[in-house]
Amino acid sequence: MTGFRVRGFATGVALLAMAAATAPASADDLQGALAAAYATNPDLAAARASQRATDEGVPIARAAGLPSLSGTATYTEYVKKSANSFIAPDRGIDANGTLSVPIYAGGAVKNSVLAAKTRVEAGQAGLRGTEAGVFSQVVAAYMDVIRDAATVGLNQNNVQVLEVNLKATSDRFEIGDVTRTDVAQSNSRLALARADLRSAEAALVASRERYVQVVGKAPADLQPPPPLAGLPASPEEAVQVALDSNPDLLAARQRSKAAGFDVKVAGAGRMPKLSLFTTGDYSDYLGSLGGGAGGTGFTQMQTTAQAGIRATIPLFQGGLPAAQQRQAQATASAALEQEISAERQVIASVRSAYTSWRAANDVIALNQTAVDAAALSLEGVRAENTVGNRTILNILDAEQELLRAQVGLVAARRNAYVAAFNLIAAMGKAQAADLGFDSATLYDPDANYQRVRSRMWDWSFDPTPSAKSTRTVDSPTQTATIPAQSVP
């Protein structure tokens, strides 16, 4: 009965070790995948650009409290003059300049700047949350490829084993050792195994394409991921860390704080406003004032200047400032509720991720036990078949049970790692600065804020925007091919 010898158990164990039997120079590791996504992922690049737009809120708010200078120039041709106007000019040039310096705006400028600064802090926290989200996608895509490659390998091995089984059964049928029913059962299981292999290959292609989408390049012989550090000892510990560090929650808190400043800005609409001003005017009639060439006897050029302080005191605005303040208060109330909602979501996510992680670890142990037991059971069934105590169907069932246990172990290992990383991300400890990247490659959102926060020049602008992330349109279509595995 050597035709039924177990060929795939050792191969299955190798595949369960994350499909990394060989490690060529082109192999990718998780750190490299995370770094590639950090540098080229379009969602992350878009979030950084959005944060730069948020940074500009500070100089925009500050501009309302800075001096403003404007000027106008007018050239006029008096094409038709009144019959009674004896000294009307034929043409003239007028120019004037105005300098206005705000002194007091009821606190609107100060609170607008504070609101803008707070939103910058909220945006920076939100950007860290986006980083963690992208990294979680990378880890999931990375582990999906490893899982599905291992599953394909297991199913390929199963097909090979069943092909040997079918041939051996057919040979035994020829000599009358088994019945046609045994041959049909072997043939049926082989067909189902081939169908499962095609499904597994399709899943692997989908996982590889997802990897290309998130990371920006095709996976190349992914290596086993490194152990994760910093995992909590209890869900309570995890929640406490998350309440202090989760970037989405920190962003919600800052947005709530900014909404409070917006209420004060709206309330300033009913307050007086004071400003200093000075204006200067220049007029030149180009020698045409008073009639005749040169306009003898009349001054052709004149200048005037004024300076003063202007007070604008709102007396009645139709309820506009009150409505604006009530609107801002309602928005602030919504922000407070959204902060609580974010806190609830973080707590639920952390507790769920912790439970998933611990459960996946237990499932790994149970599936490992199932694999060991199923392998032993298959050996026993095959041995008993040689003495007539077991049927071909018993062997086929045992082989199928072993395959299910092996695939379950692969999936459990993937689920445990992804759940552990999601837990770390929910705790706020899966940002770029936490993952061991070279400090020179880290994107610092505060650098742009410091660059633009005090700019006052009207002609200070950045270069024309261009895409920073990489395109994948030229990447090759992924296949279900996996490295050849050695079979003892």
Side-chain angles (χ1 to χ4, degrees), residues 68-74 94-100 277-283 304-307:
S68 62
L69 178 64
S70 62
T72 60
T74 307
D94 295 285
N96 66 67
T98 302
L99 173 65
S100 179
F277 71 91
T278 180
T279 61
D281 295 276
Y282 167 80
S283 298
T304 61
Q306 304 87 33

Side-chain angles (χ1 to χ4, degrees), residues 207-360:
S207 294
R208 284 175 169 169
E209 293 292 354
R210 172 62 177 164
Y211 183 96
V212 172
Q213 176 189 351
V214 176
V215 178
K217 64 176 184 177
D221 295 318
L222 304 185
Q223 297 304 292
L228 294 175
L231 290 165
S234 67
E236 292 76 19
E237 177 187 341
V239 168
Q240 187 56 54
V241 173
L243 292 177
D244 295 332
S245 305
N246 183 277
D248 295 328
L249 179 55
L250 296 179
R253 289 171 179 167
Q254 293 300 104
R255 287 193 294 267
S256 177
K257 184 178 178 181
F261 290 123
D262 290 340
V263 174
K264 296 179 181 179
V265 173
R270 63 172 66 88
M271 302 297 291
K273 296 176 176 58
L274 296 177
S275 63
L276 297 175
F277 71 91
T278 180
T279 61
D281 295 276
Y282 167 80
S283 298
D284 187 343
Y285 297 109
L286 304 176
S288 67
L289 183 63
T296 305
F298 296 95
T299 301
Q300 300 298 319
M301 294 180 293
Q302 63 182 10
T303 58
T304 61
Q306 304 87 33
I309 182 169
R310 180 180 293 113
T312 303
I313 304 174
L315 298 177
F316 179 71
Q317 302 177 65
L320 175 62
Q324 290 175 328
Q325 187 168 16
R326 292 193 302 271
Q327 184 183 58
Q329 288 174 323
T331 301
S333 179
L336 289 171
E337 301 299 338
Q338 289 165 357
E339 178 185 344
I340 295 176
S341 175
E343 183 180 81
R344 286 187 178 188
Q345 182 175 356
V346 166
I347 292 172
S349 297
V350 169
R351 290 172 176 171
S352 176
Y354 183 89
T355 300
S356 297
W357 167 56
R358 294 302 298 268

Side-chain angles (χ1 to χ4, degrees), residues 353-403:
Y354 183 89
T355 300
S356 297
W357 167 56
R358 294 302 298 268
N361 285 332
D362 293 340
V363 171
I364 289 175
L366 293 171
N367 273 280
Q368 185 62 65
T369 300
V371 167
D372 297 340
L376 182 61
S377 173
L378 177 58
E379 290 287 358
V381 169
R382 295 174 65 258
E384 292 173 12
N385 176 257
T386 61
V387 294
N389 291 336
R390 295 284 184 171
T391 66
I392 296 297
L393 180 60
N394 294 142
I395 295 177
L396 295 173
D397 288 341
E399 288 172 342
Q400 186 65 28
E401 186 175 351
L402 176 59
L403 175 63

